[in-house]
């Protein structure tokens, strides 16, 4: 498998530039310099990602294999266009977009949601050789509509050679994506399906397209915990009554104990409803008492103001929190909190684009852990770039997740293995907490706190047609 095949072809025809500038002794430092506009350095995926994030042109002194084109960088000398082989049979001949709803074992309660199910959008992509790839994203009506609109334009394109070109067509610059995060999430579903289909066509596991040299391995996971466990579907008013009594936080600890006993899971993300410090501290205290050695995270989804968030975090620090995820909104608020806390801050809300990493680096304070996912980062290559850039900026990348089907979960397992994201923070995973999925309950194995990778080509997993149909909320939309 050539580098161009692995990366999905060229992102754009390589610009032919010339410079008398000598190669940088420290390319990373040169790119990060606030006055940099052009840096001469050997081409690597990590340097290419960093240069894109900081809007610096990267020139390569030599490019005998066309890698510059494959990673979207410029070259110093004229070179023939480098395009991945057409790969007979890799053309996309049909795409189906499915809409489903995933039932949850327990009511999900957070600062953003009060729901017993999660809508998801699935993309089923057929190549002319018979390979089938699967992708997934948010299931809201507006996201599903954008996914359908994007999928229509991919018919006839080559899943192996065109992935990067299609990514660039979607948003050459950020302004081109006029649907914001929604557009990124919709694109990610079609993009993931193309990566899965390409891997199956090439006879490779998904992780191999990300450069993984070995097979995937079991991944430690952290499960989400609802802010409250009323035991039934309730209205917001009923929930408020339940949460008025902090003794009810024991039910959250009961649920965590059940998850720990059933699957050996020892890391939990407590999803604060931001109803107040008294409830949150009572819940975290109950969790720590019941599970003294577990990793505990708290995520209020940015719903607390900076002062309230600071008081909450300072009160929670003695409980040994792994990190505070988005306790308040925005980079500025996070930077203020960081100055007063020993515990790391994490985010999947204030840093969701490469330029946000640059702003965090220049600011010098704020979240230390960047929780990335396929959806907010616009697909596989976008998430990979985030990981590469974060590490070069002294930040820690980790995987964010929600309640996804086995398709999204399998993608996370492959990505975590290929990019080394199983440490230091276990990846988010809500899959064990689904009441039903598009695959059989034993399709993914969770034991000893780890989720085992599916075996086979591509993602190694595909929906069971009967289970998919049972969870469907609309007729699939098909393009040929």
């Amino acid at each position: 498998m050539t580098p161009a095949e692995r990366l999905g072809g060229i992102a754009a025809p390589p610009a032919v530039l010339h410079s008398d500038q000598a190669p940088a002794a420290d390319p990373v430092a040169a790119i990060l310099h606030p006055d940099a506009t052009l840096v001469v350095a050997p081409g690597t995926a990590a340097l290419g990602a960093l240069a894109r994030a900081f809007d610096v042109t990267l020139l390569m002194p030599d490019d005998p294999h066309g890698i510059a084109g494959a990673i979207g960088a410029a070259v110093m000398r004229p070179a023939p266009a480098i395009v991945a082989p057409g790969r007979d049979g890799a053309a996309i001949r049909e795409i189906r977009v499915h809409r489903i709803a995933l039932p949850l074992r327990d009511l999900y309660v957070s600062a953003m949601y009060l729901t017993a199910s999660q809508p998801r959008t699935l993309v089923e992509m057929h190549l002319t050789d018979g390979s089938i790839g699967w992708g997934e994203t948010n299931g809201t009506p507006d996201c599903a509509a954008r996914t359908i609109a994007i999928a229509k334009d991919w018919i006839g394109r080559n899943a192996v050679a065109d992935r990067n070109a299609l990514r660039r067509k979607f948003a050459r610059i950020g302004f081109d994506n006029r649907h914001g995060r929604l557009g990124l999430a919709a694109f990610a579903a079609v993009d993931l399906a193309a990566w899965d289909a390409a891997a199956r066509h090439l006879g490779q596991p998904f992780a191999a397209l990300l450069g993984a040299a070995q097979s995937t391995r079991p991944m430690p996971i952290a499960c989400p915990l609802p802010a409250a466990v009323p035991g039934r579907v309730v209205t917001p008013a009923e929930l408020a009554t339940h949460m008025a009594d902090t003794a009810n936080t024991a039910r959250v600890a009961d649920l965590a104990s059940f998850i720990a006993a059933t699957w050996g899971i020892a890391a939990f993300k407590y999803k604060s409803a931001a109803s107040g410090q008294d409830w949150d501290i009572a819940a975290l205290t109950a969790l720590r008492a019941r599970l003294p050695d577990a990793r505990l995270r708290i995520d209020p989804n940015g719903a607390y103001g900076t002062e309230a968030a600071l008081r909450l975090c300072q009160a929670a620090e003695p409980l040994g929190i792994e990190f505070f995820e988005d306790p308040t909104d925005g980079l500025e608020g996070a930077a203020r909190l960081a100055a007063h806390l020993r515990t790391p801050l994490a985010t999947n809300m204030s840093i969701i684009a490469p330029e946000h990493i640059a702003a965090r680096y220049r600011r010098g304070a704020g979240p230390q852990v960047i929780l990335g996912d396929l959806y907010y980062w616009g697909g596989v290559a976008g998430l990979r770039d985030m990981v590469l850039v974060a590490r070069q900026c002294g930040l820690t990348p980790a995987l964010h997740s929600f309640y996804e089907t086995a398709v999204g979960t399998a993608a996370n397992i492959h990505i975590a293995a290929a990019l080394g994201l199983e440490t230091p923070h276990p990846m988010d995973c809500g899959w064990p907490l689904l009441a039903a999925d598009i695959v059989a309950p034993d399709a993914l194995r969770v034991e000893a706190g780890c989720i085992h990778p599916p075996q086979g080509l591509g993602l190694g997993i595909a929906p069971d047609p009967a289970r998919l149909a049972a969870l469907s909320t609309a007729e699939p939309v098909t393009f040929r």
Side-chain angles (χ1 to χ4, degrees):
M1 184 168 53
T2 68
E5 286 178 319
R6 188 174 71 246
L7 294 169
I10 60 173
V16 179
L17 300 177
H18 301 271
S19 174
D20 294 329
Q21 184 173 309
D26 185 342
V28 172
I31 293 170
L32 293 177
H33 192 281
D35 296 330
T37 58
L38 182 150
V39 171
V40 178
T44 67
L47 287 180
L50 188 67
R52 288 191 292 276
F54 282 75
D55 197 19
V56 172
T57 297
L58 181 64
L59 298 184
M60 301 183 188
D62 194 16
D63 187 41
H65 302 296
I67 301 302
I71 67 173
V75 294
M76 286 185 64
R77 61 182 64 175
I82 304 298
V83 182
R87 301 291 306 197
D88 290 344
I92 300 167
R93 67 172 177 83
E94 181 178 304
I95 296 178
R96 299 174 191 165
V97 180
H98 305 264
R99 296 185 62 191
I100 65 170
L102 293 173
L104 306 179
R105 290 176 179 264
D106 295 278
L107 188 70
Y108 185 67
V109 181
S110 74
M112 296 179 65
Y113 302 103
L114 176 59
T115 181
S117 66
Q118 283 297 315
R120 304 300 293 173
T121 302
L122 289 167
V123 172
E124 176 185 357
M125 180 177 291
H126 294 249
L127 306 187
T128 51
D129 74 342
S131 300
I132 302 175
W134 288 88
E136 175 181 356
T137 190
N138 181 328
T140 58
D142 47 2
C143 190
R146 287 307 312 153
T147 303
I148 290 167
I150 291 170
K152 183 178 181 180
D153 289 340
W154 284 44
I155 297 297
R157 301 303 295 262
N158 190 290
V160 173
D162 290 346
R163 292 195 314 278
N164 263 332
L166 288 164
R167 181 182 178 217
R168 184 170 176 82
K169 178 183 177 183
F170 164 74
R172 178 184 56 86
I173 59 175
F175 183 78
D176 286 351
N177 169 25
R178 301 191 183 196
H179 298 274
R181 290 166 62 184
L182 177 67
L184 291 173
F187 175 85
V190 189
D191 177 71
L192 177 58
W195 278 73
D196 185 25
R200 294 175 192 269
H201 172 83
L202 293 168
Q204 299 283 340
F206 181 91
L209 297 194
L210 288 168
Q214 58 184 5
S215 61
T216 52
R217 52 201 178 277
M219 291 290 119
I221 60 175
C223 266
L225 289 174
V229 184
R232 60 185 177 87
V233 176
V234 296
T235 66
E238 291 170 328
L239 178 65
T241 300
H242 174 84
M243 297 182 73
D245 182 359
T246 56
N248 285 328
T249 58
R251 296 189 180 189
V252 180
D254 290 342
L255 176 58
S257 295
F258 167 78
I259 294 170
T262 304
W263 294 288
I265 292 168
F268 298 92
K269 178 190 289 192
Y270 164 70
K271 295 292 296 186
S272 166
S275 59
Q277 178 174 316
D278 289 348
W279 177 273
D280 283 343
I281 294 300
L284 291 171
T285 300
L287 286 165
R288 177 55 72 213
R290 194 74 64 85
L291 300 166
D293 298 322
R295 293 178 184 237
L296 297 180
R297 311 167 181 178
I298 174 173
D299 177 14
N301 287 117
Y304 281 117
T306 307
E307 175 61 21
L310 178 59
R311 295 186 183 195
L312 170 66
C313 293
Q314 288 178 328
E317 274 199 317
L319 296 171
I321 305 301
E322 181 182 9
F323 55 64
F324 296 112
E325 181 178 341
D326 292 306
T328 194
D329 187 36
L331 281 175
E332 283 298 318
R336 296 188 191 105
L337 291 187
H340 300 281
L341 298 172
R342 300 182 306 276
T343 304
L345 296 179
T347 185
N348 84 302
M349 296 174 66
S350 63
I351 299 178
I352 56 172
E355 60 268 24
H356 300 160
I357 302 179
R360 161 62 178 86
Y361 178 82
R362 302 290 188 219
R363 181 67 169 76
Q368 296 99 316
V369 180
I370 303 180
L371 293 159
D373 61 34
L374 291 168
Y375 316 110
Y376 291 164
W377 288 88
V380 177
L383 177 56
R384 177 196 59 205
D385 277 7
M386 181 280 283
V387 172
L388 296 175
V389 174
R391 286 175 174 152
Q392 292 173 100
C393 291
L395 305 175
T396 301
L399 271 182
H400 173 264
S401 180
F402 196 36
Y403 293 107
E404 288 126 354
T405 74
V407 168
T409 302
N412 283 342
I413 297 170
H414 282 271
I415 290 167
L419 301 181
L421 293 175
E422 68 269 37
T423 59
H425 303 293
M427 73 178 199
D428 288 346
C429 182
W431 189 80
L433 307 184
L434 300 181
D437 191 17
I438 55 176
V439 297
D442 60 353
L444 293 174
R445 182 161 53 98
V446 181
E447 60 183 11
C450 293
I451 189 163
H452 289 249
Q455 301 300 310
L457 303 182
L459 292 174
I461 207 159
D464 172 78
R467 295 176 189 274
L468 178 61
L471 298 177
S472 176
T473 58
E475 288 295 317
V477 176
T478 302
F479 300 107
R480 294 185 177 90

